[in-house]
Amino acid sequence: MKVWERDTEYTKWRWKPDGCECELPVFNPTRFLELVRGKAMAFVGDSVARNQYKSLKCMLHGVARPVNQTTETGTRVKRYFYTHYNFTLVYIGSTHLVKAVDVDPFSLKPARLHLEEPDETWASRVENMDYVIISAGHWPFRPRSDARRSAEFQGDGNSEDDLATTHFEPEYWEGRGNCVRKRPFTRDEIRIDWYLNMFLKVQMEEFRAAEREGRERGLRFRVLDVTEAMRFRPDAHPNHYGHPPGHPKRYADCLHWCMPGPIDTWNELLLQMLKSENKEGSEDGKGLLY
């Protein structure tokens, strides 16, 4: 049996913007919990949202152990309560964010999407949340049939582009691919990804529309765009190392992120956003959008 041993060099790299002498502060779990004292925060989205939620939970673990208040069966809703801080942390799984029927992550069979109807799994649970962090992964690439109106940019489910991310190495294509890099990309190695740029453009347009409408309803929307920072990190995916010992290698996971790793940067930036919001005296407003 093949034993996969993961190097840890990927944990030693820190994100820093070009042309800036500043350093992103290391995550302070106590400061985070003080800022969210008495509040509730929900992470909504697919497995990438779950990845960030688990990262945050791990980063808080050193100073506070939450009570598991999960009462619903299955994995779509997780709820934890930090008693000392009266803080509730929730993960709500929703692959497409909209109503989706016949979703099967292991099949290329099209799912039926109702684009004008939100997924009730999350929509029915966030009304009393102080912060709702919405994220979307790569599900738009999967084949689908839209029930209410046609959707653009639909793949046929048969090409590599429908399942691959920019961090898959085509020369190591095996099943879903491979991500073998052990160092971040240099700027010269970054690949132009038309799909990624296109979806980023669409998401930003929709964010601005939501921001305008939310302002009229007393909601505050913010966006944290981690696209550029994460493009450089092909070295920090689980690859084959995410499988439990003794389990056969099924595929290389080049989509999610190791913990600790660069996904922790998302929560470091989230903390800075909360600190900024607090300074602006915006605690009466609600809402964050990723």
Side-chain angles (χ1 to χ4, degrees), residues 12-270:
K12 300 176 182 179
W13 295 90
R14 295 276 297 166
W15 174 79
K16 184 176 181 179
D18 284 343
C20 179
E21 297 301 322
C22 59
E23 297 285 346
L24 179 63
V26 174
F27 186 84
N28 185 328
T30 302
R31 178 61 173 147
F32 182 94
L33 287 167
E34 287 292 350
L35 286 170
V36 296
R37 181 184 289 275
K39 298 184 182 297
M41 175 181 289
F43 285 82
V44 176
D46 60 12
S47 56
V48 176
R50 185 176 70 238
N51 205 181
Q52 185 184 2
Y53 147 81
K54 286 186 174 181
S55 166
L56 177 61
K57 191 163 169 281
C58 287
M59 296 168 85
L60 298 177
H61 193 70
V63 298
R65 306 292 176 89
V67 177
N68 187 344
Q69 293 186 336
T70 304
T71 59
E72 301 170 74
T73 58
T75 60
R76 292 194 71 185
V77 180
K78 299 291 184 182
R79 178 182 295 268
Y80 286 87
F81 182 66
Y82 293 78
T83 307
H84 180 69
Y85 296 91
N86 189 26
F87 169 58
T88 300
L89 178 64
V90 178
Y91 163 72
I92 306 173
S94 178
T95 55
H96 296 82
L97 303 178
V98 297
K99 181 179 178 181
V101 183
D102 298 330
V103 176
D104 183 349
F106 302 107
S107 171
L108 292 179
K109 178 183 177 181
R112 291 185 291 119
L113 303 184
H114 299 255
L115 300 184
E116 285 81 9
E117 300 180 47
D119 179 1
E120 281 298 309
T121 303
W122 70 268
S124 63
R125 290 175 169 85
V126 300
E127 182 177 357
N128 295 320
M129 292 288 169
D130 297 282
Y131 302 100
V132 180
I133 301 173
I134 302 174
S135 64
H138 289 250
W139 282 88
F141 288 111
R142 298 191 65 82
R144 60 193 184 272
S145 58
D146 300 320
R148 296 291 297 279
R149 64 183 182 193
S150 61
E152 298 179 74
F153 316 124
Q154 179 173 327
D156 59 14
N158 297 314
S159 67
E160 293 180 0
D161 284 339
D162 290 320
L163 294 177
T165 68
T166 54
H167 292 167
F168 282 118
E169 298 289 341
E171 60 267 33
Y172 291 99
W173 191 261
E174 180 184 346
R176 281 180 53 179
N178 210 334
C179 41
V180 298
R181 298 266 179 161
K182 293 187 177 181
R183 291 177 63 87
F185 281 139
T186 65
R187 188 164 290 280
D188 291 338
E189 292 174 315
I190 289 291
R191 305 166 184 170
I192 301 299
D193 188 315
W194 183 84
Y195 284 102
L196 188 64
N197 292 338
M198 175 194 67
F199 277 107
L200 178 60
K201 178 178 180 293
V202 172
Q203 287 171 343
M204 291 304 299
E205 290 174 352
E206 293 301 315
F207 165 76
R208 285 188 284 269
E211 185 181 32
R212 290 191 296 270
E213 182 175 338
R215 192 180 302 119
E216 297 175 358
R217 299 169 56 188
L219 301 175
R220 297 175 63 88
F221 285 77
R222 296 289 183 268
V223 62
L224 174 56
D225 179 8
V226 297
T227 306
E228 192 65 19
M230 303 308 282
R231 277 179 173 176
F232 286 88
R233 299 306 308 273
D235 57 314
H237 296 294
N239 198 1
H240 297 300
Y241 307 101
H243 303 296
H247 283 233
K249 179 186 69 173
R250 292 184 299 167
Y251 58 85
D253 185 348
C254 304
L255 175 62
H256 304 101
W257 304 95
C258 293
M259 297 181 293
I263 197 166
D264 297 332
T265 303
W266 301 13
N267 291 317
E268 290 173 336
L269 291 168
L270 174 60

